[in-house]
Amino acid sequence: MSELIIYEDGDFSIEISIDEDTLWLSAEQIATIFGVNRPAIVKHIGNIYKTDELDKNSTCSILEQVAKDGKKRKMNFYNLDMIIASGYRVNSKKATSFRRWASNILKDHLLKGYTLNQKRLQQKGLEEFNQAIALLQTTINQENLACDEAKGLLDVIVSYGRSWSLLEGYDEDNLSMPTYHNEHKFVLGYSEAKNAIAQLKKELMKKGEASELFGREKAGEFDGIVGNVYQTFGGDDLIPSVEAKASNLLYYIIKDHPFVDGNKRIGAFLFILFLQKNKMLYRANGEAKINDNALVALTLMTAKSLPEQKDTVVALIVNMLVESI
């Protein structure tokens, strides 16, 4: 069911629909909010679809509305991804102001919505869910996030929240665990990882985004992390699934600081490389399981987490990967 909220900018106000955890606006509404003419927005939207920057099926919804003349007409409505994308092309102060407002409104909407379900979830023994949402909220409160990064945190909250909300309809005795991938198509070796980091460093230095200190290992600490990910006991992996290995790899690189510089970027890079090599980076429809914005959000959240929250952080990332199959 849609929820209507009011956006105000000076003397101007407009009703906006929230549905499926995003905002929906028509091209005319977007133009009005951004202070431009409708044809300009329609042109930007057309170019965005033409260059495949966004997928039309996931960002556009056709709804029946009452027009100014009183007749019902079918109209295209666009979600927050499209609103933000067109807003960058308009590049006006009004567009910037709205993007900030939208991110804050959605964060509040989603966090409060999940908070309402906490008592029921706690009764089912899902304390881990509450810890994960609390950690995400702490990250939001502590970080001065850019719009894309804030949208990434929304993606994390929605994905993880949905994975647990599926459990609400079941008794505790009937809960089913998600399916994990135990077959490793690719084993990350220390030498291969170092070569990949060296290539990343080379590309970043070309852009002026890294120094000679980037990726310089501290006394074999990274070698130890790779070894821990593949540690065995009695012939069995202590970290059995591909999802858990990827999540632990990301966590340990970010939190243990095995490199002099670039730990967060290297951790995110190897996390994606590991998933890609194990053919787990994309869903069946070709979309990335964890997009760029969500990756930034996960990296920030991991970096800000406390040591005692390690299991919660890893479990959150694993559940996102499993939920996104």
Side-chain angles (χ1 to χ4, degrees):
M1 182 180 295
S2 297
E3 175 186 343
L4 290 178
I5 56 175
I6 304 294
Y7 173 68
E8 294 180 323
D9 184 7
D11 296 331
F12 166 78
S13 67
I14 189 171
E15 283 191 347
I16 297 174
S17 172
I18 292 184
D19 191 20
E20 297 179 358
D21 301 319
T22 189
L23 304 177
W24 293 93
L25 292 171
S26 67
E28 184 173 352
Q29 288 175 317
I30 297 172
T32 302
I33 288 172
F34 292 169
V36 297
N37 293 324
R38 182 180 179 278
I41 295 298
V42 172
K43 180 181 178 181
H44 290 318
I45 291 173
N47 288 333
I48 289 168
Y49 287 145
K50 190 180 297 182
T51 57
D52 292 326
E53 180 180 338
L54 292 175
D55 175 59
K56 187 172 184 178
N57 291 329
S58 59
T59 58
C60 178
S61 181
I62 300 175
L63 301 175
E64 194 174 69
Q65 295 286 311
V66 178
K68 292 180 180 179
D69 58 7
K71 297 180 180 179
K72 288 186 177 181
R73 290 190 175 88
K74 290 183 178 180
M75 299 174 60
N76 288 339
F77 279 74
Y78 304 94
N79 75 354
L80 182 60
D81 290 330
M82 177 57 77
I83 298 168
I84 289 175
S86 57
Y88 280 128
R89 284 162 172 75
V90 171
N91 197 26
S92 68
K93 289 184 178 180
K94 287 188 175 182
T96 301
S97 176
F98 178 80
R99 288 198 303 267
R100 290 173 179 168
W101 174 87
S103 292
N104 289 329
I105 283 293
L106 274 182
K107 282 187 290 189
D108 289 343
H109 172 78
L110 292 171
L111 287 170
K112 287 175 182 176
Y114 290 128
T115 300
L116 293 176
N117 288 323
Q118 281 186 354
K119 288 186 178 179
R120 281 183 290 169
L121 291 167
Q122 284 175 333
Q123 290 171 358
K124 295 180 180 294
L126 299 178
E127 184 62 29
E128 181 185 281
F129 172 85
N130 299 313
Q131 293 173 2
I133 295 301
L135 179 56
L136 288 164
Q137 189 164 15
T138 299
T139 306
I140 288 173
N141 293 337
Q142 291 182 350
E143 288 288 333
N144 183 19
L145 300 177
C147 187
D148 284 348
E149 292 167 348
K151 183 63 170 63
L153 267 173
L154 299 182
D155 292 340
V156 175
I157 293 169
V158 172
S159 297
Y160 191 63
R162 282 177 180 161
S163 71
W164 286 112
S165 66
L166 295 174
L167 303 177
E168 290 187 74
Y170 297 87
D171 292 328
E172 196 163 333
D173 293 338
N174 295 325
L175 298 183
S176 58
M177 292 299 293
T179 302
Y180 299 101
H181 291 78
N182 294 318
E183 180 185 351
H184 300 91
K185 299 179 176 66
F186 165 75
V187 175
L188 179 68
Y190 172 72
S191 296
E192 182 170 359
K194 288 288 287 183
N195 289 336
I197 294 168
Q199 186 60 38
L200 173 65
K201 177 178 180 178
K202 182 179 178 181
E203 294 300 319
L204 291 177
M205 288 185 71
K206 284 182 184 177
K207 301 176 184 177
E209 297 175 358
S211 69
E212 283 294 341
L213 295 177
F214 183 93
R216 184 176 295 177
E217 188 178 354
K218 298 179 186 174
E221 291 183 21
F222 177 61
D223 192 8
I225 288 175
V226 174
N228 287 338
V229 170
Y230 289 103
Q231 192 173 0
T232 61
F233 181 78
D236 296 325
D237 285 357
L238 292 180
I239 302 176
S241 73
V242 177
E243 293 91 344
K245 280 182 168 63
S247 302
N248 275 276
L249 182 67
L250 176 66
Y251 181 89
Y252 282 123
I253 294 174
I254 292 173
K255 297 301 285 184
D256 288 1
H257 301 93
F259 301 100
V260 175
D261 182 51
N263 290 285
K264 288 195 286 292
R265 283 180 288 175
I266 292 170
F269 170 69
L270 290 181
F271 175 71
I272 293 299
L273 176 66
F274 188 86
L275 292 175
Q276 184 180 38
K277 293 281 189 176
N278 276 290
K279 302 191 183 304
M280 289 184 55
L281 184 57
Y282 299 99
R283 299 186 182 95
N285 63 3
E287 292 181 4
K289 290 182 179 181
I290 296 182
N291 62 31
D292 292 345
N293 296 336
L295 180 61
V296 171
L298 286 174
T299 302
L300 287 171
M301 180 200 70
T302 302
K304 287 292 182 182
S305 65
L306 299 174
E308 57 266 28
Q309 295 174 313
K310 188 256 184 183
D311 290 342
T312 297
V313 172
V314 171
L316 189 154
I317 300 170
V318 168
N319 274 279
M320 281 193 66
L321 292 172
V322 174
E323 174 68 12
S324 299
I325 294 174

